[in-house]
Amino acid sequence: MPLDAKSQSVFLPSTCPHDCPSTCALEVEKLDARTIGRVRGAEANSYTLGVVCAKVARYKERVHHPGRLSVPLRRIGEKGAGLSAFRPISWDDALDIVAEKFQRISAQYGSEAVWPYYYAGTMGLLMRDGVNRLRHEMKYSREHFTICNMLSDAGWRAGHGAKWGADTREMIESDLIVMWGGNPVHTQVNVMTHVARARKVRGARFVVVDVYKTATCEQADEYILVRPGTDGALACAMMHVMFKEGMADREYLARYGKDWEEFERHLETRTPEWAAAITGVPAERIVSFARLYGRARAAFLRIGYGFTRSRNGAASMHAVSALAVVGGKWKVKGGGALYSQSGGYGLNTTLLEGLDVQDKSTRILDQSRIGPVLVGDRRDIGDGPPVMGIFIQNTNPMSVAPELVKVREGFRRNDLFVCVHEQFLTETAEMADIVLPATTFLEHPDLYISGGHTHFFVARPVIEPYAEARDNHWVVCQLARRLGAQHPGHSMDAWSIIDATVKASGLPGADAVAEGRWRDYVRPFEKQHFLDGFGHADGKFHFKPDWSRIGPDHARLPAFPDFCDVIDEPDHDRPFRLVAAPARNYLNSSFTETPTSKAKEVRPTILMHPEDCRDLGVKEGDRVRIGNQRGSLVIHVRPFAGLQRGVVVVESIWPNRAFEEGIGINALISADPGLPNGGAAFHDTAIWIRQAEPRR
């Protein structure tokens, strides 16, 4: 139990659970049984290195926020009317109501009319995924997890066949680091620690590819701004230059590449001039970037999620990730590429998720299309029953889901029973019939893997639960008992099921991992860099993947890495391309309630090129109405030269109530599934912009 040298405060170990690849090892100051003070990164962890983002550093604002839910609530008033529409009830009464409703719905409509719905409000495996155990046993509708990484996963796996990559800690040996489609200064600050070390030790150059000048671009040696959805074209033109000028590693390709010679022929027409017309990046800039990357001995390609949140996101990921293969960058330490390490753990979650009772004939509903699902779109619900009951943990679809107008319409249905288990009265919780108070990560145990590094954590609670808040596992087990579910996982407490999962995964147990703070799953260099073969059966990187094995909607995907022209192209009526990028002080809809985050973000703002502002006759602080066929909203303007003309950015996600008319930016975002297996297209939206009408 470490002590702070100055104050003698007690700091306890924990792990950040939020939806970020860093999964930081934390040290949390415990002031008493229910109170925390400071939160800092663990210095002894070789990835975290003592660094934590500002949002989590001020976590006491969140865990001790006066707006936290303290008791179960039952709605007695109108949906969406706030706290006054609820009255407190006991836990037993609340759980009895939920169980009875789900039983009645199942009896009348069939079990698939109930939909447990969750995502990544916590990334802890038990508190996130444990509800699947109840889902599978009761044969409730399954969930297609498309809102974050379905597109990026598809594109990476298409080529590599396995989901891991070069170790971020290798950056200290890199000559060049390319951050493609990510803004780690805002969303993964630890990456910048490793970039800084590489610059200091190796003099490494740092280059960023994005659609607007982010805070990460401001720290780069060079940045390249592309039009949204065109990254595949830039990558292909770079590889064209690399092949043409002798920077492609043909010896490496002969050993590790499948169909690479045919791919080289395919690239003959993918010239810098071709890509310039698509991306808006001058041809000479593309050539210089290709030469910089191609000639670097140890080039580390850190690939983000942002550019994949487009209808063509999987194809773009496949193209960008092919760069490291064409250049043979995997051969050396400090080279290669990283998208995510999360496929390298091999944990056995059968007990935790109830995979042993899963019925794969039960229908799957797309989480990104919750709006169309709840309004009864037959393309989504098929021949099955409408969703009549929904149980929500770890997500806030009334703020974060696409096509918010339909989401709102669906939740306003009088015949839809909604139970939300939450820490705050979110906009989704305001639509619930029953609201249950939830613990924060500091008040329950859990186990964690990471996308940004290779450490595995088991974390104990730091403080006792707030008021009557209960953790997700406890709630699932209590509902299971009332519903008659018999899976053994429902009768185990949280620590016991964590311990059993850890042991089933080949480790000595939860206590041993927790005492050691973390276990490093890094593989030997040859394995981590695919030098013993890529993840496909033939051990090759697939330049010509079988997209049909990845998802059903594959006919429009290109055979080879390419620009896949399926994006929401601007037109006469909608001449602007909108990107709804992450804000620095919010994380999806988390932290939108904390005072410091709200004060730093100020208000929703649209970033527009100064020349576009001039053409529209608007200036700093003016109000504009933006919209498309899905809806419109009013927002304030900030002229910003750090993007191409015709591209606009709204850093989000603000609550709907932060906008003049009570509807947020996701009202404009389509729920159309990306290719080939679904995925939300948050950065793929064509809109119109005009001066807003005067306030009434």
Side-chain angles (χ1 to χ4, degrees):
M1 186 179 294
L3 300 177
D4 183 85
K6 294 182 180 179
S7 67
Q8 297 297 301
S9 298
V10 177
F11 279 82
L12 297 181
S14 191
T15 306
C16 181
H18 284 283
D19 190 8
C20 161
S22 282
T23 319
C24 288
L26 302 179
E27 294 173 351
V28 182
E29 185 180 25
K30 181 177 181 178
L31 301 180
D32 59 43
R34 295 183 179 273
T35 312
I36 68 161
R38 292 166 288 173
V39 178
R40 64 194 186 192
E43 291 186 9
N45 184 274
S46 57
Y47 177 81
T48 304
L49 292 173
V51 175
V52 70
C53 71
K55 298 183 286 288
V56 174
R58 53 178 182 261
Y59 208 81
K60 63 183 179 182
E61 286 189 16
R62 192 163 198 275
V63 72
H64 300 310
H65 193 288
R68 275 196 66 183
L69 294 168
S70 60
V71 296
L73 302 171
R74 183 176 188 177
R75 185 167 58 83
I76 57 172
E78 293 295 318
K79 290 186 176 184
L83 192 59
S84 63
F86 294 91
R87 67 169 177 84
I89 58 173
S90 71
W91 266 104
D92 280 338
D93 287 347
L95 292 167
D96 287 347
I97 291 169
V98 176
E100 182 184 5
K101 285 287 188 180
F102 287 173
Q103 287 171 328
R104 288 186 178 182
I105 289 168
S106 294
Q108 183 175 356
Y109 297 94
S111 61
E112 290 180 336
V114 177
W115 192 21
Y117 185 92
Y118 77 92
Y119 204 52
T122 178
M123 295 292 280
L125 301 186
L126 177 59
M127 302 304 169
R128 186 188 68 188
D129 302 331
V131 70
N132 286 332
R133 193 173 60 254
L134 181 64
R135 180 203 310 275
H136 295 326
E137 185 170 5
M138 302 306 296
K139 301 187 187 303
Y140 295 150
S141 284
R142 291 185 288 158
E143 187 174 0
H144 193 33
F145 299 106
T146 58
I147 209 162
C148 178
N149 61 345
M150 184 62 66
L151 286 155
S152 49
D153 268 15
W156 178 270
R157 289 182 183 275
H160 294 77
K163 190 180 175 183
W164 64 76
D167 189 337
T168 299
R169 293 168 292 187
E170 292 180 26
M171 284 183 180
I172 200 166
E173 301 189 47
S174 301
D175 303 316
L176 171 69
I177 300 169
V178 177
M179 182 72 226
W180 197 307
N183 182 14
V185 169
H186 282 188
T187 62
Q188 197 184 346
V189 67
N190 308 82
V191 169
M192 299 307 297
T193 302
H194 293 276
V195 170
R197 296 173 76 214
R199 291 170 121 174
K200 182 178 180 180
V201 173
R202 297 274 298 183
R205 288 184 62 80
F206 180 45
V207 180
V208 177
V209 180
D210 215 316
V211 297
Y212 75 116
K213 186 180 179 182
T214 64
T216 305
C217 291
E218 292 175 358
Q219 295 193 23
D221 296 296
E222 181 180 351
Y223 59 90
I224 296 170
L225 303 182
V226 300
R227 293 175 184 145
T230 65
D231 301 76
L234 175 59
C236 285
M238 290 174 65
M239 290 184 282
H240 169 98
V241 173
M242 291 165 67
F243 273 112
K244 182 178 179 182
E245 298 189 3
M247 293 176 285
D249 191 331
R250 297 176 184 277
E251 182 180 348
Y252 175 87
L253 286 166
R255 181 174 179 184
Y256 292 102
K258 182 179 181 182
D259 300 313
W260 70 273
E261 292 168 306
E262 190 179 352
F263 175 54
E264 181 181 5
R265 293 191 292 273
H266 165 78
L267 287 177
E268 289 176 359
T269 59
R270 272 49 178 178
T271 64
E273 291 75 19
W274 166 83
I278 296 169
T279 65
V281 181
E284 58 273 18
R285 189 84 183 277
I286 296 173
V287 172
S288 65
F289 183 29
R291 289 170 177 166
L292 176 67
Y293 181 78
R295 292 170 180 169
R297 176 181 171 274
F300 195 109
L301 179 59
R302 184 62 175 96
I303 304 177
Y305 296 81
F307 74 100
T308 70
R309 292 187 173 128
S310 177
R311 290 165 178 81
N312 66 359
S316 295
M317 169 64 85
H318 184 227
V320 171
S321 68
L323 281 162
V325 182
V326 169
K329 305 305 182 184
W330 287 104
K331 295 190 302 184
V332 300
K333 222 167 198 184
L338 174 61
Y339 152 59
S340 174
Q341 304 284 18
S342 64
Y345 290 89
L347 297 184
N348 184 341
T349 61
T350 299
L351 174 68
L352 187 153
E353 294 192 69
L355 300 178
D356 51 335
V357 293
Q358 182 181 24
D359 182 349
K360 293 187 177 181
S361 68
T362 305
R363 74 175 175 188
I364 300 178
L365 301 176
D366 187 334
Q367 69 173 162
S368 298
R369 292 185 57 78
I370 185 173
V373 166
L374 292 184
V375 299
D377 193 323
R378 282 292 168 190
R379 292 172 296 179
D380 296 280
I381 66 173
D383 296 329
V387 171
M388 303 300 295
I390 188 166
F391 174 58
I392 298 175
Q393 291 181 320
N394 310 324
T395 189
N396 182 17
M398 279 285 292
S399 290
V400 306
E403 295 192 14
L404 276 181
V405 174
K406 288 184 179 179
V407 176
R408 178 177 291 183
E409 179 185 350
F411 273 105
R412 287 196 178 278
R413 283 171 41 201
N414 290 326
D415 62 346
L416 176 69
F417 176 78
V418 180
C419 175
V420 175
H421 185 203
E422 253 293 357
Q423 297 162 0
F424 294 88
L425 193 67
T426 63
E427 291 175 299
T428 304
E430 289 186 7
M431 307 302 286
D433 298 283
I434 297 291
V435 179
L436 306 174
T439 49
T440 68
F441 76 100
L442 296 172
E443 299 159 347
H444 60 240
D446 216 330
L447 65 166
Y448 302 89
I449 63 173
S450 175
H453 56 77
T454 56
H455 292 117
F456 170 65
F457 303 94
V458 172
R460 295 187 174 100
V462 172
I463 55 175
E464 295 177 12
Y466 169 68
E468 295 186 31
R470 298 291 183 268
D471 67 62
N472 291 9
H473 175 70
W474 184 88
V475 171
V476 168
C477 291
Q478 289 293 312
L479 285 175
R481 180 172 63 81
R482 287 166 170 82
L483 291 165
Q486 300 295 317
H487 193 279
H490 300 317
S491 62
M492 302 170 71
D493 65 28
W495 192 257
S496 296
I497 200 168
I498 291 169
D499 184 58
T501 298
V502 171
K503 288 176 178 175
S505 303
L507 295 174
D511 287 318
V513 177
E515 288 300 323
R517 299 289 307 276
W518 48 77
R519 288 292 181 103
D520 195 345
Y521 271 70
V522 68
R523 296 157 181 254
F525 172 76
E526 291 76 14
K527 185 73 172 178
Q528 206 72 46
H529 279 241
F530 299 107
L531 296 180
D532 61 351
F534 285 91
H536 296 293
D538 59 8
K540 306 281 190 178
F541 179 90
H542 287 192
F543 286 98
K544 190 177 184 180
D546 182 357
W547 289 109
S548 68
R549 296 176 62 88
I550 299 172
D553 193 5
H554 55 82
R556 291 177 290 165
L557 286 169
F560 288 103
D562 209 339
F563 169 59
C564 180
D565 191 9
V566 295
I567 60 177
D568 192 12
E569 291 281 9
D571 54 32
H572 178 268
D573 295 324
R574 304 167 306 143
F576 294 92
R577 288 271 289 164
L578 166 68
V579 170
R584 181 168 193 166
N585 293 283
Y586 299 151
L587 203 170
N588 301 323
S589 66
S590 296
F591 301 99
T592 59
E593 70 287 324
T594 53
T596 302
S597 290
K598 290 165 68 174
K600 287 180 177 292
E601 291 298 327
V602 185
R603 68 184 179 190
T605 303
I606 186 167
L607 306 179
M608 295 179 57
H609 195 280
E611 293 182 25
D612 289 332
C613 291
R614 182 200 61 202
D615 290 351
L616 287 168
V618 297
K619 60 185 185 303
E620 175 85 33
D622 282 356
R623 297 159 59 254
V624 292
R625 182 171 290 280
I626 66 175
N628 55 21
Q629 65 273 31
R630 298 174 197 94
S632 71
L633 55 91
V634 174
I635 193 168
H636 290 84
V637 170
R638 182 185 305 159
F640 181 70
L643 35 66
Q644 293 193 32
R645 290 204 64 180
V647 178
V648 295
V649 172
V650 176
E651 293 184 332
S652 54
I653 300 173
W654 285 87
N656 295 297
R657 63 176 65 92
F659 292 81
E660 275 189 29
E661 298 167 334
I663 191 73
I665 195 65
N666 283 335
L668 310 184
I669 306 299
S670 172
D672 289 351
L675 308 177
N677 195 33
F682 287 106
H683 301 169
D684 186 6
T685 306
I687 63 169
W688 48 258
I689 305 176
R690 60 180 69 121
Q691 292 185 28
E693 55 274 19
R695 295 178 190 268
R696 294 180 181 178

